[in-house]
Amino acid sequence: MQKLVVFKIGEGSFEQGFPVTLQIGEEGKPPVVEVRGRVPPDAKIPDLYYEWQSKYKGDRQITVDPSQTNNYSREEECKNAASALEKCLQEWFDQSSMQKLRAAVLTEVNKETDEARIVLQTQNVQLQKLPWHLWDLLESLPRAEIVLGSKYAPAPSRPLSNPVKILAILGNAEGIDIEEDKKALSQLRGASVTLLELPQRKELNEHLWNKPWDILFFAGHSSSWANADNTLQGAIQINDRESLSLDELRYALKEAVKNGLKLAIFNSCDGLGLLAKIADLGIPSAIAMREAVPDNVAQEFLRYFLTTFSQGKSLHQAVRIAREKLQGMETESPCASWLPVICQNPAAGTLTWPQPQHLPVKIGAGLLAGLAVASIAFIVPNSILLKCAQEQKTFTEFADCDKIPFGIWQYGGSTSWAAIRETAEQKIKAELPKFQITYKQDPLQPPSSGNGIKMLIEGRLAFAQSSTPVTNEAVVLANQRGFTLKQIPVAYDAIVAAVHPSFNIKGLTVEQLVGIYKGKYRNWREIGGPDLTIKPYATQGSGGPTIVKGYFLSGEYFGNNITFARTPSEAISKVGNPDNEIEKGGIYIASAKTLIGQCSLKTLKIAKDRNSEFVAAYEGELIPAAVCPKQRNQINREAIRTNQYPLVRQIYVVVRQDGSIETKAGEAYASLLLTEEGQQLIQDAGFMPMRFIEPQK
């Protein structure tokens, strides 16, 4: 459950203390608990903070000389000052009034099941600067984070777009290596990133006004200062001549918020002054650094945060994980884990990264009773084999990391795997001759994911290759035999729709494609095409129809207008035959690997909905049939990697979970494909790897 905990701290001082109202409830609902209390006085805290701050900065800003980026003067004095401040804060947190507040939170927030945003709302700058993560309240709540609260204002709880649209401003970087920031952004799955390097004010203004963004990112130099009334201000250096305060971008940023801006990230020095303005501008969430930050710390924080956030953790959890990982750098960069801070409007809601539209395994209510002990296990993070695979580059290195079960192992399944199967098997035979794998096909049934999993359950295969998730029926069958199934994702694939080369249509929305295979649309003119009968084709057991039926149709049956072909080649020959006038209204869906390079078919662009752009699963323009096969379309890996193309699935290795040697053989095969060498083979075969692969020079 998502919980919202708000500490509203009123006016006071460290000499007299501060009144506080604690409110606790579920996200998006009125608080159910309200407790009034007091933050106790301790006049030593401001002095100790300023003592630590001066030692941290070395009585000057951290140098921007690249050779001295991590050079602190009086490093030991900095550590001693930090220790003194931390000891004082622990004594402050241990006082009875703070313990009562802590107990109230722990009564309402379950440490095992609840996530919590703990919002600290205060106008006192010194309270904002304190490292609140040192409070042992967080130790008791592993899925919570303390964030600074901006002024409460009604805010629509809008999700991030898919792909997430990021405007990255790379400002004045004198003495800063922003290449690492660019690399972290370029590797980000599910994002569409626009880079503005050293932009002029007009250029930045136009981007903020005219395009919708989810995230605004800034890397470069920034600064904060206090006005005469002790309110914080901040500015960013957008190029080597211009430094702009957020006030000077006020109208553009407010327009960006109207257009969907949800998060600002200032990966720069001394950002509290920038955070102070987000409430006025209406930006729901922002991340910045409390104090000046060493270059390498800023880079690592960004990498840790983006990796965790894009994998599905909520914003506050991702920041906590990234912040805690910085502790490993504190030998050279003292107090690195003190620096990152979130500032949020409490009404904005929890922010999460949209995940790829993979097919869920839907278990109906009628099956639940029979599935009391049945389950499907995905990648187990603590699995020694898989962890080892992710740390190794080559098959040989993986074999040295863990014992691979030697023997002869039979496997089979999805036709989409053919390209991977061939190259991987050759590589394994050459480098791991004692790990012999042999492809096996049912003599009576055509190869498919479903048939491969069926053979696995029956004990005829050691492991199966699947381009679709395990079905409910397979779960039940496995459970009846006393074991569960484990599906291990090893690659991404795209599903595409193809028509006759002469067919004239701009593209299809996902809804239109679903409608075709559901039987809703029977003539192309209903969806912007010519006056021709729609003839949808599918192959039995193939991934294309399954992704449409299983996910977009929520398990419903196809329409009665579907023609099933025995093989992809048969369907392609029907739809793409230039002499077959009858079939010019045909359409076929299958893996991008199967269809993108075909000369006799035209691959359609797909849009997520009517308000979205049409995106091709191929690179550049569609190559005319007249110049094919000398030139062939190539898969648009970037559109698939960033989820710009809307029909993306995972492909799996499926194994039995019965403690057998076959289970370890299947896990070993999957782990080999998850090494860097295996992921390169997957990329060469036309699929998207799960891991980022550096471009070959």
Side-chain angles (χ1 to χ4, degrees):
M1 186 179 295
Q2 300 280 351
K3 293 291 183 71
L4 178 62
V5 178
V6 181
F7 288 91
K8 295 183 176 180
I9 302 177
E11 292 186 7
S13 66
F14 281 94
E15 288 76 19
Q16 297 178 348
F18 302 84
V20 60
T21 300
L22 170 62
Q23 295 180 335
I24 308 173
E26 294 182 27
E27 286 277 13
K29 297 181 180 180
V32 296
V33 171
E34 184 168 297
V35 177
R36 296 187 183 276
R38 195 159 188 83
V39 175
D42 193 327
K44 301 188 300 297
I45 290 176
D47 292 337
L48 288 171
Y49 183 87
Y50 288 125
E51 177 69 14
W52 166 75
Q53 186 184 50
S54 67
K55 296 296 186 283
Y56 172 79
K57 294 181 178 180
D59 292 327
R60 55 182 168 79
Q61 293 293 329
I62 294 178
T63 179
V64 295
D65 184 333
S67 65
Q68 300 178 3
T69 301
N70 299 318
N71 180 29
Y72 293 77
S73 68
R74 299 199 296 254
E75 184 175 298
E76 287 304 315
E77 291 184 3
C78 175
K79 292 179 180 179
N80 292 338
S83 180
L85 174 59
E86 183 172 352
K87 180 180 178 182
C88 182
L89 288 175
Q90 295 297 352
E91 293 172 351
W92 190 52
F93 293 138
D94 286 341
Q95 292 192 41
S96 60
S97 60
M98 294 293 282
Q99 287 297 309
K100 288 179 182 178
L101 295 171
R102 177 181 180 275
V105 175
L106 295 180
T107 299
E108 297 297 327
V109 181
N110 188 306
K111 69 177 182 179
E112 301 294 338
T113 60
D114 292 341
E115 285 191 29
R117 281 194 302 151
I118 303 175
V119 180
L120 189 73
Q121 282 194 290
T122 176
Q123 297 300 310
N124 186 285
V125 174
Q126 185 59 64
L127 283 174
Q128 293 174 352
K129 287 192 170 187
L130 293 180
W132 284 88
H133 68 277
L134 298 175
W135 194 3
D136 63 356
L137 174 62
L138 284 193
E139 291 294 327
S140 302
L141 297 174
R143 302 171 69 191
E145 177 70 339
I146 295 177
V147 308
L148 298 181
S150 61
K151 183 179 179 181
Y152 181 94
S157 184
R158 294 182 290 189
L160 293 169
S161 304
N162 191 359
V164 179
K165 297 179 177 64
I166 301 176
L167 177 62
I169 305 166
L170 305 178
N172 181 15
E174 182 182 355
I176 299 175
D177 179 12
I178 61 172
E179 291 302 315
E180 289 300 317
D181 290 341
K182 290 169 66 174
K183 182 178 179 181
L185 291 167
S186 69
Q187 296 178 7
L188 193 55
R189 180 176 294 277
S192 174
V193 182
T194 298
L195 293 176
L196 292 183
E197 296 195 51
L198 298 174
Q200 300 300 307
R201 181 175 181 175
K202 182 180 179 182
E203 180 186 12
L204 173 57
N205 192 66
E206 289 179 350
H207 273 79
L208 290 172
W209 269 96
N210 299 327
K211 297 181 181 180
W213 307 105
D214 293 293
I215 298 175
L216 175 67
F217 171 81
F218 173 77
H221 291 297
S222 66
S223 58
S224 295
W225 65 91
N227 285 340
D229 60 357
N230 203 35
T231 59
L232 284 174
Q233 298 288 323
I236 57 175
Q237 298 179 25
I238 62 172
N239 55 53
D240 53 3
R241 296 183 303 278
E242 291 181 286
S243 182
L244 297 177
S245 70
L246 296 191
D247 272 337
E248 293 174 294
L249 292 169
R250 170 180 294 273
Y251 298 120
L253 287 170
K254 283 193 171 185
E255 185 66 19
V257 171
K258 288 180 184 178
N259 291 333
L261 181 63
K262 305 165 189 70
L263 172 64
I265 303 173
F266 302 107
N267 205 31
S268 56
C269 285
D270 202 7
L272 276 184
L274 300 170
L275 296 185
K277 283 295 175 183
I278 74 164
D280 294 339
L281 299 170
I283 302 174
S285 302
I287 302 170
M289 299 293 173
R290 282 189 170 92
E291 299 288 349
V293 59
D295 193 10
N296 62 336
V297 172
Q299 293 165 0
E300 289 301 284
F301 171 77
L302 181 66
R303 184 170 65 87
Y304 294 148
F305 166 71
L306 290 178
T307 299
T308 307
F309 189 37
S310 64
Q311 290 174 350
K313 293 292 185 182
S314 62
L315 174 69
H316 61 273
Q317 274 197 295
V319 169
R320 175 171 178 169
I321 292 169
R323 175 177 57 73
E324 290 178 343
K325 284 186 175 182
L326 292 180
Q327 194 172 46
M329 304 180 70
E330 291 184 348
T331 300
E332 297 180 354
S333 301
C335 303
S337 62
W338 291 24
L339 302 178
V341 60
I342 311 172
C343 185
Q344 287 184 308
N345 175 0
T350 301
L351 199 61
T352 56
W353 193 276
Q355 297 303 293
Q357 295 179 340
H358 308 314
L359 297 184
V361 179
K362 299 181 178 67
I363 300 179
L367 291 175
L368 290 179
L371 297 178
V373 295
S375 64
I376 297 175
F378 291 80
I379 285 184
V380 181
N382 293 327
S383 167
I384 296 175
L385 275 173
L386 297 175
K387 183 176 184 296
C388 178
Q390 293 165 358
E391 293 173 349
Q392 306 305 320
K393 292 186 177 182
T394 68
F395 286 5
T396 304
E397 287 179 359
F398 172 75
D400 292 338
C401 173
D402 196 271
K403 293 182 179 179
I404 292 181
F406 295 141
I408 301 174
W409 315 104
Q410 293 184 324
Y411 69 99
S414 170
T415 55
S416 297
W417 271 79
I420 301 175
R421 182 184 303 137
E422 181 179 352
T423 55
E425 190 168 326
Q426 291 176 354
K427 194 76 173 177
I428 290 171
K429 285 181 178 179
E431 298 190 16
L432 305 172
K434 294 183 179 180
F435 184 62
Q436 299 182 38
I437 57 174
T438 304
Y439 180 75
K440 181 179 180 181
Q441 181 179 328
D442 189 291
L444 301 177
Q445 298 294 329
S448 69
S449 299
N451 286 333
I453 293 171
K454 181 175 180 290
M455 294 171 69
L456 171 69
I457 294 171
E458 294 171 350
R460 293 191 283 160
L461 297 178
F463 57 90
Q465 299 169 324
S466 180
S467 56
T468 63
V470 176
T471 64
N472 297 334
E473 292 78 8
V475 172
V476 173
L477 288 174
N479 188 48
Q480 290 173 348
R481 291 175 177 255
F483 55 82
T484 61
L485 296 174
K486 175 179 179 179
Q487 56 186 24
I488 306 170
V490 296
Y492 291 99
D493 187 21
I495 296 298
V496 299
V499 295
H500 194 279
S502 65
F503 201 80
N504 185 23
I505 191 170
K506 181 178 180 181
L508 294 174
T509 66
V510 171
E511 185 276 330
Q512 290 169 340
L513 181 61
V514 170
I516 287 173
Y517 277 85
K518 196 174 179 179
K520 177 181 176 181
Y521 302 116
R522 302 285 180 139
N523 192 293
W524 283 105
R525 68 183 174 188
E526 299 176 61
I527 49 178
D531 186 9
L532 283 174
T533 300
I534 300 176
K535 291 183 172 293
Y537 281 84
T539 45
Q540 295 281 7
S542 68
T546 305
I547 196 170
V548 175
K549 178 182 176 183
Y551 187 82
F552 295 108
L553 299 187
S554 301
E556 301 171 32
Y557 288 106
F558 288 121
N560 58 11
N561 58 333
I562 307 298
T563 299
F564 285 96
R566 180 178 174 84
T567 64
S569 297
E570 180 184 336
I572 291 169
S573 66
K574 290 284 187 181
V575 175
N577 186 345
D579 299 322
N580 190 348
E581 295 294 327
I582 298 176
E583 299 297 339
K584 283 190 177 179
I587 182 173
Y588 175 47
I589 50 176
S591 166
K593 177 67 175 67
T594 303
L595 297 183
I596 290 294
Q598 290 289 333
C599 297
S600 62
L601 295 178
K602 171 181 170 181
T603 306
L604 295 177
K605 295 181 179 180
I606 304 293
K608 183 180 179 182
D609 51 46
R610 294 181 185 274
N611 297 320
S612 301
E613 294 181 3
F614 286 97
V615 180
Y618 52 83
E619 292 181 344
E621 298 299 321
L622 192 66
I623 293 175
V627 298
C628 190
K630 290 184 178 180
Q631 297 181 42
R632 293 179 186 266
N633 283 109
Q634 302 298 315
I635 292 175
N636 189 344
R637 289 194 176 94
E638 181 65 15
I640 297 170
R641 184 183 71 83
T642 60
N643 279 334
Q644 295 176 60
Y645 185 77
L647 297 180
V648 179
R649 62 174 176 172
Q650 290 179 335
I651 61 175
Y652 309 91
V653 175
V654 183
V655 299
R656 295 193 302 268
Q657 290 288 277
D658 56 4
S660 65
I661 192 67
E662 287 82 5
T663 297
K664 189 165 186 180
E667 287 185 335
Y669 177 76
S671 298
L672 288 168
L673 293 179
L674 287 170
T675 63
E676 186 173 312
E677 186 172 24
Q679 292 286 280
Q680 184 65 61
L681 290 175
I682 282 173
Q683 180 166 292
D684 293 343
F687 296 95
M688 276 301 303
M690 302 292 292
R691 299 171 60 183
F692 178 79
I693 302 297
E694 292 282 357
Q696 293 184 342
K697 297 181 180 179

